Amino acid sequence: MRKFIVRIFSFSIIPFILVLVPTLLYMKRDVYADFKQYNNYSWKYSFQQLGDLSTKKLLKAPNTKYNSFIFGSSRTTGIYACYLQQKIPNAHFFHYANWNESIGGIDEKLKLLDTLGYNISNVVIYLDTDDTFENDGACHPSDHYLLTRKSEKDYMLSHYKSFFSSLNADKIKILCGMPVSGGIYPNWESDPVTNDCKHFCTDSIIATYGDVLHDEKFMHKMDSLKANGFLYKRSTTQQYRPQQISAGEERMLLNMKNIFEKHNTSYYIVITPLYDQEKFAPADMAILQRCFGSRLYDFSGINAITNNVYNYPDRKHFQPYISKMILDSVITDNSSARVQMTKR
């Protein structure tokens, strides 16, 4: 019997060690920032969710008097909170975006802010015709547990499973403390206060915000993308997305509006100008207009912004100066200053 127990132990100890050691390294490296407190939560690895990191950053700074917020997908990285704080008196912005953000994610973030007692004075939201209402608008499953309504245990376990289910050479390097580079390691530095992505808020950043990228290297790259078909030709006739706003998503929109009314929020709902030039289906636009009325600003479709392919460095995102132009257009009392959208 003793020999049998020893044999079982000898067979089980190796698998146990093979699981224990990577797990301890995973906790030590803290690749999802789940186990330690940090001075600044920034997007370091590609598999991290920006919304999750931003929620942790928000919760760590309860004494910061945020009263203004930016919501939306990665396209909001072109919105500079530091610029908006100069533009809107007494505004203290927090950039609360996510990758491929859904309407459910925005709704949950607003509800969390309301629950935490923030005064929601100003809000800028980017809605995308391609992502916002996908998958019934559900909050991203890898977002923070206060948003997905998971238990903290399930949330941390999902991170663990996600990391090890797609283990590769780069992740092994991360566990071993070795340097990684390339797509898995964007290593963005976000502003410690506003949470602006990829930059710290400085006067020089604001001064160059409206600059158009068109140097020789950039133009050569864009011309190559045009030549190989990546920047494909769009239809000259306006195209529309299939109807996508469900009854549940409409309820989310109405809940957002109720929060805005509760806080007397000055809000700006922007439909982004995407490369594909597609617009929301008329039925979806009718829903958005019923919910937000004159606070809805539509920059999608065929117009002066989207006709210029050089505005889209990777076809998915647009140059930051476009966001500045949009902000200058909508956050003003002078309607004549709004961007003129010239359709063909």
Side-chain angles (χ1 to χ4, degrees):
M1 185 67 174
R2 183 178 177 183
K3 289 183 178 180
F4 176 74
I5 294 174
V6 170
R7 184 174 296 178
I8 292 295
F9 178 78
S10 64
F11 276 114
S12 61
I13 190 65
I14 294 176
F16 177 75
I17 292 173
L18 289 176
V19 172
L20 179 63
V21 172
T23 299
L24 292 175
L25 288 173
Y26 170 83
M27 295 174 66
K28 181 179 180 180
R29 304 303 174 200
D30 198 13
V31 293
Y32 289 98
D34 286 339
F35 304 104
K36 305 172 189 174
Q37 290 283 321
Y38 296 89
N39 292 328
N40 189 11
Y41 290 82
S42 297
W43 190 51
K44 188 174 184 180
Y45 301 116
S46 60
F47 46 79
Q48 296 170 320
Q49 280 294 314
L50 181 62
D52 177 41
L53 294 172
S54 296
T55 302
K56 289 168 178 169
K57 189 170 186 172
L58 183 75
L59 295 173
K60 184 180 177 294
N63 296 323
T64 305
K65 302 300 181 182
Y66 295 119
N67 64 2
S68 305
F69 302 89
I70 299 164
F71 301 100
S73 69
S74 58
R75 279 121 186 182
T76 67
T77 56
I79 300 178
Y80 289 9
C82 38
Y83 175 72
L84 285 175
Q85 290 182 159
Q86 290 190 353
K87 193 171 183 64
I88 302 175
N90 303 313
H92 302 283
F93 268 91
F94 184 77
H95 202 137
Y96 204 3
N98 201 12
W99 312 136
N100 301 321
E101 182 66 291
S102 66
I103 197 64
I106 298 172
D107 181 38
E108 290 295 340
K109 289 176 175 67
L110 272 169
K111 287 190 286 191
L112 177 62
L113 291 169
D114 184 44
T115 301
L116 293 174
Y118 282 96
N119 181 23
I120 307 173
S121 299
N122 305 284
V123 163
V124 177
I125 296 177
Y126 269 6
L127 299 182
D128 303 321
T129 56
D130 59 351
D131 283 332
T132 307
F133 297 98
E134 288 290 307
N135 301 316
D136 288 329
C139 184
H140 196 286
S142 295
D143 219 327
H144 195 274
Y145 65 93
L146 291 179
L147 303 175
T148 61
R149 312 300 177 93
K150 293 179 181 178
S151 69
E152 186 174 5
K153 177 182 176 182
D154 287 343
Y155 155 82
M156 296 177 75
L157 185 59
S158 69
H159 280 172
Y160 179 85
K161 289 179 178 178
S162 177
F163 183 85
F164 284 104
S165 65
S166 57
L167 196 63
N168 55 30
D170 282 324
K171 287 185 174 181
I172 292 172
K173 287 181 180 179
I174 292 169
L175 291 178
C176 295
M178 299 168 63
V180 290
S181 59
I184 198 171
Y185 190 62
N187 197 28
W188 284 11
E189 289 292 334
S190 60
D191 186 87
V193 178
T194 68
N195 200 36
D196 268 355
C197 301
K198 215 175 180 178
H199 68 259
F200 291 142
C201 289
T202 62
D203 289 341
S204 61
I205 283 290
I206 297 173
T208 60
Y209 187 23
D211 290 356
V212 182
L213 185 60
H214 55 44
D215 58 57
E216 183 177 351
K217 181 179 179 180
F218 173 77
M219 298 299 286
H220 177 72
K221 171 192 169 184
M222 296 299 288
D223 287 338
S224 297
L225 294 177
K226 285 175 63 179
N228 67 23
F230 180 79
L231 295 174
Y232 59 86
K233 291 184 178 179
R234 287 77 54 84
S235 174
T236 56
T237 303
Q238 183 60 63
Q239 302 295 306
Y240 295 85
R241 299 278 297 179
Q243 188 173 345
Q244 53 186 314
I245 300 179
S246 66
E249 289 166 329
E250 186 174 359
R251 286 192 293 271
M252 295 174 191
L253 294 169
L254 292 172
N255 179 71
M256 291 162 55
K257 183 180 180 182
N258 289 336
I259 292 177
F260 295 151
E261 291 176 348
K262 173 182 176 180
H263 290 264
N264 194 27
T265 307
S266 293
Y267 62 94
Y268 308 88
I269 314 295
V270 174
I271 304 175
T272 53
L274 303 187
Y275 183 83
D276 62 20
Q277 297 188 304
E278 294 184 344
K279 296 179 75 70
F280 279 120
D284 289 337
M285 275 301 296
I287 292 172
L288 294 170
Q289 288 167 344
R290 282 200 303 271
C291 290
F292 302 123
S294 62
R295 311 309 294 173
L296 179 68
Y297 303 89
D298 185 12
F299 291 85
S300 65
I302 301 174
N303 57 58
I305 294 173
T306 59
N307 277 335
N308 184 355
V309 298
Y310 295 101
N311 285 333
Y312 300 88
D314 61 359
R315 200 176 72 188
K316 187 174 179 65
H317 303 89
F318 39 89
Q319 289 197 43
Y321 91 90
I322 298 295
S323 284
K324 181 180 183 298
M325 188 166 64
I326 288 173
L327 297 173
D328 288 342
S329 168
V330 303
I331 305 177
T332 178
D333 293 328
N334 183 2
S335 60
S336 64
R338 292 185 178 178
V339 174
Q340 298 299 310
M341 308 299 293
T342 306
K343 293 187 177 181
R344 289 186 178 180

